Amino acid sequence: MRPGSNARRTGRTYSRRQFGQAAAGIVLFFSMRPGAILGQSAPGGLPADLKANRRLDSWLRINAEGNIEVFTGKVELGQGNLTALAQIAAEELDVAFERVRMRPVDTSHSPDESYTAGSASIQAGGSALGYAAANARAILLELAAAKLGVPIGSLTVDDGVISSSGAANRVTYWQLASETPLARNAGNDVPLKSTSKYRIVGTSVPRLDIPAKLTGGEAYVQDMRVPGMLFGRVVRPPSYGARLSAFDDTAVKALPGVVSVVRDGRFLGVVARREEQALAARAVLQRAATWTTRSELPDDARLAHFLRASTDARVTTVSSRSPGPNTPQAVKTLTGNYFKPYVAHASIGPSCALAAVSDRILTVWSHTQGPYQLRIDLAKATGLALDNIRVIHAQGSGCYGHNGADDVALDAALLSRAVDGAPVKVQWMRDDEFGWEPFGSAMAMTVQAKLAGDGSIVDWQYDLWSDSFNMRPGLPGGVNLLAAWHLAQPFQATPPSEIPLPSGGADRNAVPYYDFPSQRITEHFLPTLPIRVSALRSLGAFGNAFAVESFMDELAETVGADPVEYRLRHLRDDRAKAVIRAVADRAHWQPGAKGDGTRGRGISFLRYESVKTYVALVADIVVDRTAGVIRVERMTAAADAGLIVTPDGISNQIEGSIIQGTSWALKEAVRFDRERITSRDWASYPILSFPEVPEIDIVLLNRPDLPSLGAGEAALPPVPAAIANAFFNATGKRLRDLPFGRDRVKAALT
Amino acid sequence: MRSFCVMSTVAVTVVLSPAFCNAGETSLVSQGRYLTQLAGCPSCHTAPGRPSFAGGYVMKLPMGTLYTPNITPDRETGIGTWSDDDFVRAMQQGVGRDGRHLYPAFPYTSYTLMTRSDILAIKAYLFSLAPVHNVPPPDSMKFPYNMRSLIGGWNRLFLSDRRFQDDSHQSAQWNRGAYLVRSVGHCGECHTPRGRLSQAMEQSKFLGGGIADGWSAYNITSDPIAGIGAWSSDDLKRYLLSGAAPGKGWAAGPMGLEVANSTRYLTEEDVLSVVTYLRTVIPVRAGDKVSRSAAAEIPRNRSPSSLDQMPGARIYDLYCANCHGSSAVPVADLYPSMRNESTVGDTPPRNLVMIILLGALDSFGSGGASMPSFARKFDDRQIADLVNYLEVQDGNPKASIGPGQVGGWRSQAP
Amino acid sequence: MPETFRIQVNGVEHSVTADGDTPLLYVLRNDLGLNGPKFGCGLEQCGACTAIVGAEAIRTCVFPLSAVGSAPVVTLEGLGTVEEPHPLQKAFIAEQAAQCGYCINGMIMTAKALLDRNPRPTRTEIRQALARNLCRCGTHLRIVRAIENAAKGAVP
């Protein structure tokens, strides 16, 4: 093993999930392998993000007023990332949390830490910042020791005040700040603080961003206003491949307030002095354009078939295991087909960006997940040099993955350029967001299992058909920004690619966590599907867990086993068994209990990404047979995320995941006809509403002796199978296609 | 019987989709549930936000205000003490259990055609429901309409107390459709013009168009221009089952309620029967040259940019285009396009004004689109501007209304 | 045609020159510089733009300036500040009832209108009152708890 990767394993690392789960009431904690040594340095190397941005003053600045400015390459997505990072900085520097000022990512000086996605990158970001802060503290102590004429070992720090035991003299960080001590590279020989000495990490800290958001403070890019700012709106083609066949912008130009009408190829936009003028002008601009559309999309009603029938699939065996000599003879074979549709990020606030040019620098304020990656694609699309583009992060609405945030940044840049670089704020309309965001990919799954005479599973064959979950900007081989594809000189998107396991993309959690004597998991990766896709929360795990956990239930039913017992029978991992038992216990699971035609309950289980948090769910549902409506009354969850420092942080993540997962399962599917996306608003893409939200009961299994795994999005994928299994329990019918809307429910009951 | 039930009516045998059957329900009650839906009982006997069938729904009529009665089986305030004969008499003769005449707002002039067995099925269903104790407010009818005895005389003139008779020259399907349209569905009550003085249906113009709660109930005779003669059978079927026949018309207002509460429950066989019958209804002509849904084809000589200068254009673009689209294509498939839409093409555009004023909230349950109400948001002038823009753009280019007309219709809105 | 309107927002009279059909949302955000009401859909579907006009929670994205008249307008800013938050804002902070927070303006303003007419709502009534306010992050249960706590006066 290379020393670098070794370091990441044995050194104390900031687990990404730990940060991810600290959503409301931020709580941070660290996974600490048993036996981690006090004062251990980072053997062999620095965290990758720090190695790539070694200068300490690119991470931290200490000013004479007594504040610590922290620069991070990670962005706030509404889960409290920046609060979490502030805790780390304060902890390692030994200053009060209140002294830390988190600065948003600015490509002119912030460290480049790539995307803030999933929660893997937060792990990296926290770890890099922690080492940087520890380095800074060591340097400050060195300076202080020289100033005070005492040995370093005698120094202690209390909220930035450095003193020596027994000596009256003291010096503060703020006094040393003028000596610019941080204009140095990070070293790898600095010890980190022992977790036993934590004062801030591990405590509940209210999120820094919440008060402004609840009182009308300037919190989002949507709220930005700069002198001379104009308002832009774009007009997209009616469909992906529509051609502009006629265009007459006379009427648009005649409207009051219109400053500029932009046409470049089939990219259309308008800039106006007032926002409502831009809105009205957008509508007139839509009438000014005549489009030629063609049939380019698959039949929505037969999408699963379309995926399976695709002729250019790249087929790979994800996992295979051959039967051993003692494997019992199979006596029965069962097959199940499952389907997950395209799902939208559906952010509540449509994407927005502000762009302006000054001194030949194009500056874009964006709620992108990857400011540096966005800059790469902006440079390609505009023809500007990287150095002539500056991307500054400003918060947006929750994104849950790669939504329209990056696209609108290019829109704003193009519109600003059309008005000589004046600042232009562009916000997408609701239909822009639904019609053009990259969706979470559709998936078709087929499972075939062979059963032995005793009912146990002896062979598991799994086939998965799906698309990429990773079409973010900044990738090589193309430009992944919408407007770039519509310009008169168009760019191409990057070629779709799969993400390797164990994280995986479409195949995330395709390999069941159960112990089968023989199995083969096959992925049919479909790189040429016509609908735009990219990363969305939990990637392929949602569809795979639905198929695996539904089929486990079908098999249990076939052999007359209780679904809880049947799962336990096929698991080796005691922690997996423990969460299943815990949820069954908490929900008062009665083995063999049948529903009464309208009420039922179902169970499902997942170990997220096969190496992370264990979650088991029990769904209690009521079926309105007349209306064809499933109501999830209650979700009981059990989770094992290793060491738990505060239950509230994990509970909050699980709660959010269950609600979003219930929404996906019951309601969500992107609709389209043969020409265009027809989900364009909240009526054509309904999500779960307040009266429909289940009550949620969570039991957490604390493992104080085991590393924290974090809960992140682990509770999302097991949701649909829990509901489908409850539906079977209630009605004796299977739901194998998502979502479980009224037509499907009624059809199942026929 | 949980997943499948069969019910029998006099006319034909109807296989109900299981969605209409509740576990443990008898076939008589199931049959009654279906007929109750088709008869539209819940629409009028349920006040907004109140328990179903408990009455209190307000009917504003030119003659005064009525509150519909409680028809749950509550013995004190509902119909819990009614005998079969009492119930049949009310449905066929418009006479209550106490012997008092019921106002003809209750469509017994249509229900009278129903068979006794269908009526008793409805009663069986109503009596299977939980009783609700509720006394609706007293009616406030103007003189002389507050004298119920006068209704007896009106009945002698306008009520023919006769059951539906099959026409032996027609198919069973046609007869079933005629039965549903004329009796249970009581379509004529709104869609047939009424005599100015008698307020009785003018049978010679059956289904030739009327007014309901301030909305136009369109001519639905087989006339290709004034009626629905140019609609395909599929259009009619879609309209009845979903409330929307894109390119022809979308249900809103009272018809939106009818679709939501009644017609969408029609079985496949029954909906075809209704369509078969409607196609043969004697055409009632009006002076129109172009059908409502084809008004967009009337030639117009305004340039697109001059249209954009109209005062209503900006209102449309800021408040309507987000759903209905700024060109011929609506934003999502749940919204009507302004082109080829009966509501925009009708002259005068009464229903266009009504839908703008009142909106339509989730008529078809969750997942359905809704139209906001603009009554509080725009004054009569602004609505006239908007309507005139729409008419010039996609409706009848010669139709033009003023604020006064909007105000008149506004005052008729329920 | 732009006209001058006098409207009362958060207790202060403002003079605004704009077309009467301008949606109130843009007047509040751009002419008065308020951030509380947010653009979410422009369709009266999500509730992010809610403000209280008169006594009613109004979707300002489809409410024209001309219809405001003399009715007082209250936005999120009119409830309280970071230093002196309104009991509802306090309850939301205590419950940390926000993830991305974009919808929260609508949640608080709708809750305000609810508590003004029904100071002791049941949990079901709270859920019903918010039925047409959309949250995407899954913060629903925390939001309901925050409103319950505010109604009970159970916020320190």
Side-chain angles (χ1 to χ4, degrees):
Chain A
M1 188 176 281
R2 290 186 304 110
S5 56
N6 192 36
R8 296 293 289 279
R9 290 183 167 273
T10 54
R12 200 176 74 239
T13 57
Y14 296 79
S15 153
R16 62 163 171 158
R17 300 288 163 181
Q18 294 147 8
F19 297 96
Q21 72 193 18
I26 277 299
V27 173
L28 267 200
F29 48 91
F30 299 84
S31 70
M32 191 173 72
R33 286 176 64 86
I37 305 152
L38 176 68
Q40 187 181 24
S41 63
L46 294 166
D49 286 357
L50 186 54
K51 207 183 264 176
N53 305 275
R54 245 182 128 150
R55 278 271 298 230
L56 290 174
D57 57 1
S58 70
W59 294 88
L60 299 159
R61 275 176 219 165
I62 295 166
N63 63 35
E65 290 76 45
N67 295 323
I68 313 284
E69 276 187 283
V70 171
F71 304 89
T72 163
K74 296 301 176 189
V75 303
E76 179 60 79
L77 301 173
Q79 292 178 314
N81 300 348
L82 292 195
T83 309
L85 293 171
Q87 284 182 280
I88 296 172
E91 188 70 71
E92 291 293 345
L93 278 166
D94 279 322
V95 298
F97 175 72
E98 292 71 28
R99 291 189 185 275
V100 177
R101 304 280 178 274
M102 296 303 296
R103 300 300 178 213
V105 180
D106 180 336
T107 59
S108 71
H109 57 258
S110 297
D112 176 358
E113 295 190 81
S114 189
Y115 307 108
T116 304
S119 28
S121 44
I122 303 291
Q123 170 186 4
S127 143
L129 178 61
Y131 279 105
N135 262 276
R137 182 180 181 276
I139 290 165
L140 289 161
L141 288 189
E142 213 172 286
L143 277 172
K147 262 210 159 73
L148 301 174
V150 296
I152 287 190
S154 72
L155 293 176
T156 56
V157 184
D158 179 16
D159 191 17
V161 180
I162 307 169
S163 53
S164 174
S165 48
N169 283 352
R170 47 182 56 195
V171 64
T172 66
Y173 285 2
W174 339 120
Q175 290 164 335
L176 298 171
S178 57
E179 300 174 24
T180 60
L182 301 185
R184 286 163 54 168
N185 282 349
N188 62 3
D189 52 352
V190 177
L192 286 171
K193 190 190 262 187
S194 156
T195 49
S196 63
K197 294 193 173 165
Y198 282 170
R199 303 163 300 114
I200 299 167
V201 168
T203 62
S204 257
V205 173
R207 264 170 53 188
L208 296 168
D209 55 325
I210 281 189
K213 288 176 175 177
L214 299 186
T215 52
E218 189 185 306
Y220 304 91
V221 67
Q222 285 88 349
D223 301 333
M224 290 189 67
R225 297 172 190 90
V226 296
M229 186 176 81
L230 302 169
F231 295 89
R233 286 294 184 277
V234 286
V235 168
R236 298 286 180 214
S239 60
Y240 289 136
R243 299 277 145 211
L244 188 56
S245 48
F247 182 68
D248 176 4
D249 61 2
T250 321
V252 192
K253 286 182 166 152
L255 291 172
V258 169
V259 179
S260 179
V261 180
V262 179
R263 182 200 169 177
D264 184 342
R266 53 196 188 112
F267 172 79
L268 303 178
V270 61
V271 181
R273 296 199 185 284
R274 291 180 59 91
E275 195 160 12
E276 73 274 10
Q277 290 169 338
L279 242 67
R282 175 186 187 257
V284 180
L285 183 55
Q286 281 175 325
R287 285 195 286 277
T290 309
W291 301 90
T292 312
T293 58
R294 59 190 167 87
S295 178
E296 56 181 309
L297 302 183
D299 181 354
D300 190 1
R302 303 188 68 230
L303 184 56
H305 172 79
F306 177 81
L307 297 177
R308 288 194 161 92
S310 179
T311 52
D312 61 351
R314 296 209 293 259
V315 184
T316 47
T317 302
V318 174
S319 160
S320 78
R321 187 186 297 154
S322 301
N326 301 326
T327 303
Q329 197 63 37
V331 298
K332 191 165 193 174
T333 303
L334 264 84
T335 305
N337 292 316
Y338 300 89
F339 168 71
K340 175 215 164 243
Y342 292 100
V343 173
H345 299 77
S347 299
I348 286 293
S351 298
C352 181
L354 169 61
V357 182
S358 84
D359 293 337
R360 296 194 301 140
I361 304 283
L362 167 67
T363 303
V364 179
W365 287 264
S366 164
H367 51 106
T368 173
Q369 289 186 288
Y372 281 93
Q373 283 59 40
L374 170 60
R375 188 172 68 154
I376 292 170
D377 274 13
L378 283 176
K380 289 182 193 167
T382 59
L384 293 169
L386 271 186
D387 287 347
N388 287 336
I389 301 176
R390 178 181 179 191
V391 177
I392 303 174
H393 186 263
Q395 290 188 53
S397 172
C399 63
Y400 329 105
H402 173 204
N403 69 350
D406 301 282
D407 298 322
V408 74
L410 176 57
D411 294 343
L414 294 172
L415 294 190
S416 171
R417 195 184 242 191
V419 290
D420 299 326
V424 178
K425 183 162 77 180
V426 180
Q427 184 164 20
W428 278 6
M429 300 301 283
R430 177 46 55 199
D431 56 303
D432 292 326
E433 193 78 34
F434 270 118
W436 290 94
E437 67 149 277
F439 304 116
S441 297
M443 301 167 71
M445 291 75 64
T446 296
V447 206
Q448 186 176 78
K450 292 192 167 74
L451 298 169
D454 65 353
S456 62
I457 300 162
V458 291
D459 180 57
W460 179 277
Q461 302 284 323
Y462 185 85
D463 286 84
L464 155 71
W465 291 260
S466 189
D467 198 347
S468 175
F469 279 86
N470 180 27
M471 295 296 290
R472 291 178 181 278
L475 297 173
V479 178
N480 289 339
L481 297 175
L482 177 57
W485 310 332
H486 293 172
L487 299 175
Q489 299 290 319
F491 294 84
Q492 297 300 313
T494 59
S497 62
E498 182 54 303
I499 303 167
L501 286 173
S503 166
D507 56 353
R508 179 173 293 179
N509 281 109
V511 182
Y513 201 66
Y514 299 98
D515 196 49
F516 303 136
S518 123
Q519 68 182 25
R520 176 186 292 272
I521 316 300
T522 308
E523 178 179 7
H524 307 251
F525 185 73
L526 310 173
T528 59
L529 298 180
I531 290 179
R532 187 183 185 204
V533 292
S534 193
L536 173 60
R537 209 170 180 190
S538 89
L539 309 192
F542 190 77
N544 292 319
F546 170 51
V548 171
E549 286 301 305
S550 294
F551 200 61
M552 283 302 285
D553 224 65
E554 298 200 29
L555 295 174
E557 164 67 21
T558 304
V559 304
D562 178 69
V564 168
E565 183 278 319
Y566 197 68
R567 281 174 173 77
L568 295 174
R569 198 197 293 184
H570 288 92
L571 283 165
R572 283 273 176 81
D573 184 340
D574 286 338
R575 294 175 73 181
K577 292 181 189 177
V579 291
I580 291 176
R581 290 198 180 104
V583 81
D585 206 40
R586 179 71 157 228
H588 305 292
W589 182 269
Q590 303 289 330
K594 279 282 159 214
D596 62 357
T598 56
R599 281 177 183 276
R601 57 184 4 199
I603 187 166
S604 77
F605 159 79
L606 180 78
R607 184 171 191 196
Y608 191 55
E609 294 185 22
S610 301
V611 294
K612 292 181 175 151
T613 293
Y614 302 79
V615 179
L617 298 180
V618 169
D620 283 290
I621 68 162
V622 182
V623 183
D624 179 336
R625 302 178 68 104
T626 308
V629 172
I630 296 174
R631 183 173 147 64
V632 182
E633 286 204 319
R634 173 173 292 268
M635 278 280 195
T636 310
D640 170 354
L643 165 73
I644 294 163
V645 177
T646 35
D648 189 61
I650 297 186
S651 298
N652 185 54
Q653 279 297 294
I654 292 176
E655 195 175 296
S657 294
I658 288 175
I659 293 171
Q660 201 171 73
T662 305
S663 185
W664 291 11
L666 295 184
K667 306 199 130 184
E668 297 187 32
V670 175
R671 294 158 51 159
F672 46 91
D673 60 23
R674 301 310 291 264
E675 291 187 352
R676 62 178 200 132
I677 305 298
T678 54
S679 285
R680 297 277 173 154
D681 66 356
W682 297 111
S684 46
Y685 192 89
I687 62 172
L688 207 67
S689 68
F690 269 88
E692 299 166 316
V693 168
E695 292 294 339
I696 295 173
D697 183 23
I698 300 168
V699 51
L700 298 174
L701 279 65
N702 194 10
R703 302 280 185 187
D705 53 334
L706 293 173
S708 294
L709 299 171
E713 50 211 22
L716 189 81
V719 170
I723 296 172
N725 295 341
F727 185 81
F728 177 80
N729 181 252
T731 66
K733 304 288 181 183
R734 286 286 167 195
L735 294 169
R736 296 191 183 89
D737 295 331
L738 286 162
F740 314 140
R742 58 180 72 213
D743 291 348
R744 291 237 167 82
V745 169
K746 283 186 179 183
L749 292 173
T750 304
Chain B
M1 289 303 286
R2 200 175 72 200
S3 61
F4 182 80
C5 66
V6 177
M7 65 177 222
S8 165
T9 67
V10 175
V12 284
T13 296
V14 180
V15 180
L16 272 184
S17 88
F20 302 123
C21 309
N22 274 8
E25 210 172 76
T26 68
S27 62
L28 181 68
V29 170
S30 300
Q31 179 194 350
R33 169 203 290 273
Y34 179 60
L35 289 166
T36 301
Q37 283 164 338
L38 297 195
C41 312
S43 297
C44 290
H45 286 281
T46 307
R50 305 286 305 148
S52 294
F53 302 104
Y57 176 85
V58 189
M59 294 184 132
K60 278 194 198 161
L61 306 171
M63 313 78 141
T65 301
L66 288 178
Y67 295 88
T68 57
N70 179 349
I71 56 166
T72 69
D74 185 59
R75 295 183 66 85
E76 280 177 41
T77 62
I79 58 167
T81 58
W82 289 36
S83 69
D84 284 359
D85 286 343
D86 292 339
F87 193 75
V88 171
R89 184 165 65 148
M91 293 285 279
Q92 291 181 343
Q93 295 165 23
V95 177
R97 183 165 180 273
D98 54 6
R100 291 206 304 166
H101 287 287
L102 304 171
Y103 284 107
F106 172 58
Y108 59 86
T109 45
S110 297
Y111 293 158
T112 191
L113 292 165
M114 284 173 77
T115 63
R116 181 179 172 89
S117 62
D118 276 359
I119 291 172
L120 291 179
I122 290 179
K123 177 167 178 278
Y125 170 67
L126 292 176
F127 274 66
S128 76
L129 302 171
V132 178
H133 192 93
N134 181 44
V135 183
D139 302 331
S140 57
M141 294 295 275
K142 296 174 197 157
F143 180 82
Y145 305 105
N146 55 356
M147 300 173 69
R148 283 182 183 249
S149 57
L150 294 178
I151 302 171
W154 187 88
N155 283 347
R156 276 190 289 285
L157 289 170
F158 301 111
L159 171 70
S160 63
D161 181 10
R162 280 212 308 260
R163 308 295 84 75
F164 178 81
Q165 296 295 320
D166 275 4
D167 180 340
S168 57
H169 300 295
Q170 299 284 359
S171 66
Q173 192 179 46
W174 184 94
N175 277 304
R176 173 67 176 169
Y179 177 73
L180 290 174
V181 168
R182 290 163 57 188
S183 72
V184 189
H186 63 281
C187 309
E189 298 282 340
C190 293
H191 286 281
T192 302
R194 291 180 181 274
R196 184 173 286 275
L197 288 173
S198 70
Q199 287 299 310
M201 288 187 270
E202 292 184 47
Q203 293 297 346
S204 63
K205 295 182 183 169
F206 185 63
L207 302 185
I211 299 288
D213 285 348
W215 295 67
S216 285
Y218 293 136
N219 179 330
I220 53 168
T221 67
S222 63
D223 187 85
I225 291 180
I228 45 85
W231 291 39
S232 71
S233 295
D234 205 47
D235 288 336
L236 288 167
K237 194 177 139 186
R238 281 185 71 180
Y239 185 89
L240 290 167
L241 294 181
S242 74
K248 291 290 187 291
W250 294 58
M255 191 62 202
L257 267 184
E258 284 308 314
V259 174
N261 291 335
S262 295
T263 64
R264 73 181 167 124
Y265 295 110
L266 281 164
T267 62
E268 180 74 16
E269 213 165 339
D270 278 353
V271 78
L272 291 177
S273 301
V274 167
V275 170
T276 302
Y277 170 70
L278 285 178
R279 295 222 161 283
T280 67
V281 173
I282 300 162
V284 174
R285 278 279 149 86
D288 310 324
K289 297 227 165 42
V290 194
S291 76
R292 292 182 293 275
S293 55
E297 317 308 332
I298 300 171
R300 51 206 75 212
N301 50 14
R302 301 283 292 262
S303 73
S305 58
S306 78
L307 283 174
D308 289 327
Q309 306 300 321
M310 291 182 70
R314 212 178 102 109
I315 295 179
Y316 181 84
D317 288 343
L318 287 174
Y319 293 88
C320 314
N322 285 336
C323 293
H324 296 286
S326 54
S327 54
V329 186
V331 165
D333 55 1
L334 295 169
Y335 304 106
S337 156
M338 293 294 104
R339 287 184 77 80
N340 307 114
E341 174 19 64
S342 293
T343 306
V344 179
D346 191 33
T347 310
R350 177 192 271 268
N351 284 5
L352 183 55
V353 170
M354 292 308 260
I355 185 80
I356 292 168
L357 286 172
L358 300 176
L361 283 181
D362 289 345
S363 302
F364 310 108
S366 74
S370 63
M371 161 92 184
S373 156
F374 287 90
R376 285 197 48 212
K377 297 168 188 162
F378 291 128
D379 61 24
D380 294 343
R381 168 87 260 164
Q382 286 167 311
I383 289 176
D385 283 347
L386 172 59
V387 166
N388 290 336
Y389 165 71
L390 287 172
E391 291 300 334
V392 172
Q393 169 109 328
D394 289 318
N396 182 346
K398 294 205 182 83
S400 176
I401 58 169
Q405 210 159 356
V406 175
W409 287 329
R410 194 192 279 264
S411 70
Q412 292 174 33
Chain C
M1 269 307 133
E3 296 168 63
T4 298
F5 293 83
R6 298 194 72 75
I7 55 172
Q8 199 212 96
V9 180
N10 298 332
V12 180
E13 185 130 319
H14 294 272
S15 171
V16 174
T17 303
D19 284 295
D21 57 20
T22 302
L24 180 60
L25 175 66
Y26 302 106
V27 172
L28 296 175
R29 288 187 63 82
N30 301 330
D31 292 285
L32 307 186
L34 298 167
N35 296 318
K38 297 272 188 285
F39 174 79
C41 64
L43 310 164
E44 208 177 279
Q45 291 177 344
C46 77
C49 65
T50 305
I52 294 176
V53 179
E56 214 183 320
I58 288 289
R59 306 287 164 100
T60 60
C61 68
V62 284
F63 194 86
L65 174 60
S66 59
V68 177
S70 59
V73 179
V74 178
T75 71
L76 188 61
E77 288 87 345
L79 298 192
T81 61
V82 172
E83 294 73 28
E84 284 185 53
H86 180 273
L88 267 167
Q89 290 165 319
K90 228 187 231 177
F92 272 68
I93 292 171
E95 197 61 48
Q96 292 281 291
Q99 285 194 38
C100 83
Y102 199 88
C103 70
I104 293 295
N105 166 71
M107 302 299 172
I108 293 180
M109 298 314 286
T110 306
K112 170 81 168 59
L114 169 69
L115 297 186
D116 285 350
R117 64 174 188 271
N118 177 6
R120 287 278 183 279
T122 63
R123 181 170 293 189
T124 308
E125 285 170 334
I126 294 172
R127 282 177 171 234
Q128 214 54 52
L130 297 174
R132 298 179 72 83
N133 285 69
L134 299 178
C135 160
R136 185 55 167 162
C137 296
T139 323
H140 303 72
L141 298 175
R142 277 173 194 256
I143 291 169
V144 172
R145 279 201 297 275
I147 297 169
E148 280 177 334
N149 290 342
K152 279 187 242 156
V155 187

